[in-house]
């Protein structure tokens, strides 16, 4: 059963923008943090941005100033606005949800299926 559904990936040129969205199933209870991870070919999955239930955000250094994460607790949704995209942002992006108040580095208990983001040079 799918519990996190992502959308919004695609192909964009360098300098362009994309917005990723993630919606959690009603079956998931007690979400206290949500986040976006990405995995580039041949590399490990890494945390890109996260947001807590109280709205505190955290970003990887590589995306600070370019990406913005936002969430809606009531709707159990989280978005990632990505601006000034670079070829090195190319990866599969995954949404994760956790019952912990701070998103674990390795992610939460729930994951989406992933959405491809490709930035052409």
């Amino acid at each position: 059963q799918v519990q996190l559904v992502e959308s919004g990936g695609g192909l964009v040129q360098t300098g362009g923008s994309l917005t990723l969205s993630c919606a959690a199933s009603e079956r998931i209870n007690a979400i206290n943090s949500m986040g976006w991870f990405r995995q580039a070919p041949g590399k490990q999955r890494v945390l890109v941005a996260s947001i807590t239930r109280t709205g505190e955000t955290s970003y990887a250094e590589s995306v600070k100033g370019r990406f913005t994460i936002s969430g809606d607790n009531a709707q159990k949704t989280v978005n990632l606005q990505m601006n000034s995209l670079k070829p090195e942002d190319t990866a599969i992006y995954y949404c994760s949800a956790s019952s912990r108040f701070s998103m674990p580095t390795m992610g939460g208990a729930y994951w989406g299926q992933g959405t491809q983001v490709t930035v052409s040079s």
Side-chain angles (χ1 to χ4, degrees), residues 35-100:
W36 287 94
F37 292 72
R38 68 185 182 188
Q39 186 168 19
K43 295 187 177 180
Q44 291 186 333
R45 188 177 302 185
V46 295
L47 178 60
V48 174
S50 64
I51 186 167
T52 69
R53 189 178 186 87
T54 56
E56 295 179 23
T57 59
S58 179
Y59 298 92
E61 285 295 327
S62 59
V63 306
K64 279 184 179 178
R66 300 188 298 122
F67 291 11
T68 302
I69 190 169
S70 60
D72 185 324
N73 290 330
Q75 299 296 323
K76 295 183 180 180
T77 61
V78 63
N79 297 321
L80 185 68
Q81 174 67 42
M82 304 184 294
N83 298 325
S84 302
L85 284 162
K86 306 174 181 180
E88 50 263 43
D89 294 318
T90 296
I92 299 175
Y93 283 71
Y94 298 89
C95 174
S96 182
S98 173
S99 60
R100 297 188 180 184

Side-chain angles (χ1 to χ4, degrees), residues 1 13 17 26 29 31 38 46 51-52 59 104 107:
Q1 62 200 38
Q13 291 185 336
S17 298
E26 287 298 321
N29 296 315
I31 293 176
R38 68 185 182 188
V46 295
I51 186 167
T52 69
Y59 298 92

